[in-house]
Structures are given as C-alpha cells and as structure tokens.
Amino acid sequence: MPVHYVMYKGIKFPPAYNSVHSLSFAHNEFLVRDDDIFNITYPKSGTVWMTEILSLIRSHGHPSWNQTVLNSDRMPWFSTHLGLEAALSYPSPRLLTCHLPRHIFPKSFSHSTAKVIYTLQDPRDVVVSYFYFCKMCNSYEDPVSFEQFLRDFLNGELPHGSWFEHVRGWMEMKDRENFFFITYEELKQDLQGSMRRLCHFLGQNLDDNAISSVVQNASFTAMRQNPMCSSILLPADIMDQTKGQFLRKGICGDWKNHFTVAQSETFNRIYLEKMQGLDMAFPWDRD
Ligand code: A3P
C-alpha cells in the first residue's frame, strides 16, 4: 500500500499521527512554557534512549515511572494529534519530544527559557537504522533498496526532511544557555559522564546511586526488556514486529556493514559539502 505522507512546509511527515493542522498548530500556536524540557532529534538518532534518560533523571533514578507508563505518555510528541492533547493537559515542568527541524519548531520558543536537549548521531548509522525502521513501520514507505534510500537521505527527501538541515538549524543554538547537545556516540562511550553533564544542565542534583540507576535502567538490555519503551505494545498496523525490532542493534558503526566503498565515497563528498562552514567536530568526523 502506498503511503500518503502529510506535507508541511515542503517536508514529508508520516500520516499515522501527524496532520497539517497538528504541525501548523505546533509551529504557530503551541505555547512553550519557560520550564519545558524538549527532547529533540532527527529520527533514529537516540530519541527513545534520551526519553528513558530524561524520565529517569526526573524520577531521581527510580525506574517505576519508566516501567509503568508508555514513553510517549511520559514525554508527549506535541506536534501530533495525540501528543498535543497530552502536552496541553500536563502540569509543568513538562518533558516533550519531537523531530521538528528548527525552522518549524514553535515560534513561542524564541522568547522562552525552555531547555532543549538535542541528540545527534553519525548520519551513516542514522540512515541504516532508518532503513530498517521504515521496513517495519507501516506509516513509512517500504524502502525499495538501501541504495535508493541512501540517495533519498542525501537529497533530504526522506520523511522529516534533511538530516543536514536539521543539524545545521539546531546547531545554530549551540552557544545558547538553554541548549544542550550530545551525540549518541558520547552516550555509548560514557553514559555515566554524559548523565553528570546532563544533570548539571538540567539543574538536577542526583547522587551517585541515582546516577548508577539511570545508567542501568537506560541500558540497551534494560530498555529491550521494558515494554514501555521497546515499542512492542504499538499496534500491529503501525509497527509490524514480525519485520524487525525497534531496538535493533544499539551499536555505533553498523554503517560499515552496509555501505559499499562507492556509497561511502559519495557520502563523504556530500557530507563535506553540506556541513561546510559549520565549524564543529563530531566524533564520526575521525572515522
Ligand atoms: P539501531 O536501529 O541502530 O539499533 P530513535 O529512538 O531516534 O528512533 O533511535 C533508535 C536507535 O537508537 C536504534 O538504533 C536503537 O536501537 C537505538 N537505541 C535506543 N536505545 C538505546 C540504548 N539504550 N543504547 C543504545 N542504543 C539505543
């Protein structure tokens, strides 16, 4: 069955939960509160991982909230119909999630002190994870081939738009006090240290035991065992669990098992072109 994407400002969005109205409301009318905390990512960059982390920090490391309430209810996707309802009714301080690029993020954010946590990952691993995700998620078109999918990724034609524009748009905020960015690679390499930096940014004082509990409960193994974040409870017409696992591999560098030498060369050329002038070094730039 062909998927009819929702188009908003020239970007495709999956139809299951989005509409032009929900996206336009998020962009133009959604009122950001000064104590909101946003978990923002391009798809497949560590969104649900950060959701677990932020919910656990909110609970001072106690896992019961994470283990009893669905991740999408803990941190609503406010640009979707369902998430918007939840976000509007939640008491402050709210934890909110989205994949919105900066230029269609709520306008009211510009005048607020709300905090943004932006997680990004090696785009080569993002595209591999996205490829498998699209195969199992029915509100995305089934990829024809990895070759074509990679081409669409590089041309910014996948749902949620261009990775390059997403990263460039959000990274313009990198020096702002209310903006914190972290890479998936840093989380993998040192989750404990990453937690300390994140807690500092959030003004949360967690003791060593609480930090250890966050680290333990946000591990790939713990998350796979937790139905509240593993996506196992999503309806079959949304996520076909027979076609894969949402928490698929959870590793860095899986792109090396998928890219041909030619694909890797094309990728590097386009990456350098599109990231020109950003003046930032990411962990994957060494690779
Ligand atoms: P893979 O498909 O490479 O396994 P998102 O939440 O943005 O959709 O990102 C999903 C990716 O993050 C998946 O990557 C998933 O396995 C990975 N992920 C989620 N939780 C993780 C964790 N605790 N540790 C490592 N990777 C995790």
Side-chain angles (χ1 to χ4, degrees):
M1 284 261 287
V3 173
H4 297 290
Y5 288 115
V6 170
M7 292 300 294
Y8 185 72
K9 303 277 178 196
I11 298 178
K12 290 179 198 162
F13 290 88
Y17 299 109
N18 297 286
S19 66
V20 171
H21 176 74
S22 71
L23 289 157
S24 166
F25 187 92
H27 183 199
N28 297 301
E29 291 173 65
F30 186 76
L31 286 182
V32 172
R33 302 178 194 160
D34 279 339
D35 52 7
D36 283 340
I37 295 168
F38 290 94
N39 171 22
I40 302 177
T41 54
Y42 185 83
K44 313 317 295 171
S45 304
T47 329
V48 299
W49 194 4
M50 189 50 76
T51 297
E52 289 315 285
I53 290 169
L54 292 173
S55 318
L56 284 159
I57 291 178
R58 170 66 58 87
S59 313
H60 289 261
H62 297 295
S64 57
W65 194 36
N66 290 50
Q67 289 170 354
T68 53
V69 179
L70 269 180
N71 51 4
S72 53
D73 288 334
R74 282 181 263 126
M75 296 194 56
W77 292 77
F78 69 95
S79 58
T80 67
H81 325 284
L82 281 174
L84 176 62
E85 255 177 65
L88 294 177
S89 66
Y90 273 24
S92 296
R94 299 179 295 191
L95 295 171
L96 300 166
T97 311
C98 76
H99 289 319
L100 294 176
R102 176 71 188 91
H103 68 285
I104 55 172
F105 194 68
K107 290 179 178 166
S108 59
F109 172 65
S110 307
H111 310 289
S112 89
T113 54
K115 291 184 170 157
V116 164
I117 291 128
Y118 187 67
T119 312
L120 69 166
Q121 188 182 8
D122 184 334
R124 294 165 296 189
D125 283 334
V126 168
V127 73
V128 169
S129 179
Y130 208 171
F131 174 74
Y132 287 104
F133 174 74
C134 288
K135 281 174 176 282
M136 66 181 301
C137 190
N138 293 330
S139 47
Y140 291 77
E141 257 164 26
D142 204 4
V144 178
S145 63
F146 183 70
E147 176 79 24
Q148 180 62 45
F149 195 80
L150 179 58
R151 217 177 354 251
D152 290 347
F153 179 86
L154 291 171
N155 290 332
E157 283 166 6
L158 292 182
H160 304 282
S162 157
W163 181 91
F164 301 97
E165 282 168 28
H166 206 280
V167 168
R168 292 187 77 101
W170 280 108
M171 281 302 152
E172 276 175 20
M173 288 196 57
K174 71 179 185 329
D175 298 323
R176 290 258 300 260
E177 245 174 44
N178 58 340
F179 183 79
F180 179 92
F181 75 92
I182 191 155
T183 60
Y184 179 97
E185 289 72 14
E186 287 168 288
L187 293 172
K188 281 293 287 186
Q189 202 191 357
D190 180 11
L191 192 49
Q192 184 120 356
S194 302
M195 284 317 89
R196 290 190 196 287
R197 289 205 291 128
L198 194 47
C199 287
H200 179 73
F201 170 73
L202 294 170
Q204 294 268 353
N205 201 0
L206 266 60
D207 63 23
D208 287 352
N209 284 342
I211 296 264
S212 298
S213 177
V214 175
V215 168
Q216 190 191 324
N217 287 289
S219 70
F220 189 69
T221 313
M223 284 179 58
R224 261 199 169 173
Q225 286 164 358
N226 179 3
M228 297 297 148
C229 65
S230 67
S231 98
I232 203 88
L233 297 176
L234 283 174
D237 59 331
I238 298 282
M239 192 81 89
D240 187 343
Q241 310 282 345
T242 63
K243 292 190 181 156
Q245 256 185 311
F246 179 82
L247 296 172
R248 192 182 58 93
K249 280 196 177 172
I251 57 168
C252 299
D254 196 28
W255 67 270
K256 292 174 189 158
N257 301 318
H258 293 79
F259 280 50
T260 62
V261 172
Q263 285 167 345
S264 179
E265 283 170 4
T266 306
F267 189 98
N268 289 345
R269 183 176 49 75
I270 295 177
Y271 180 87
L272 287 177
E273 242 169 63
K274 294 202 188 250
M275 297 300 269
Q276 213 173 25
L278 190 60
D279 195 24
M280 292 197 66
F282 295 112
W284 51 87
D285 291 334
R286 296 189 289 264
D287 211 346

